[in-house]
Amino acid sequence: QVRLVESGGGLVQAGGSLRLSCTASGIIFSDNAMGWYRQAPGKQRELVATITDSGRTNYADSVKGRFTISRDNYKTVSLQMNSLRPDDTAVYYCSYLRGSDNYWGQGTQVTVSS
């Protein structure tokens, strides 16, 4: 079992910045991918960014150039969000993926006011 705990969400004005962090606990293997997804009201959950154990990153087009995903080790992942826009408002979920094992955090709310 893997438990993911997110932190760092909140309310920010458009143009501002926030940093999300996620720490995994439990039986963690180093050869994993971690990432961030988000879900806005009435919409499906969507990819924001992912990072593999080798550091390869993938971003949604809507956040490229504004968000940066990083990891300090194989148990933590962070998302630096700059130039936030109202349409970035959503619940952000941390993800851990290794083979067929996929775990999610409980989510953290990010609200961007105009």
Side-chain angles (χ1 to χ4, degrees), residues 6-12 18-21 81 90 92 108-111:
E6 302 113 332
S7 62
L11 173 65
V12 65
L18 282 175
R19 184 177 181 85
L20 305 183
S21 295
M81 305 185 293
Y92 283 69
T108 185
Q109 177 70 46
V110 171
T111 303

Side-chain angles (χ1 to χ4, degrees), residues 37-41 46 86-92 108-112:
Y37 291 71
R38 66 187 182 187
Q39 187 166 17
E46 63 177 7
D87 61 358
D88 293 317
T89 295
V91 178
Y92 283 69
T108 185
Q109 177 70 46
V110 171
T111 303
V112 184

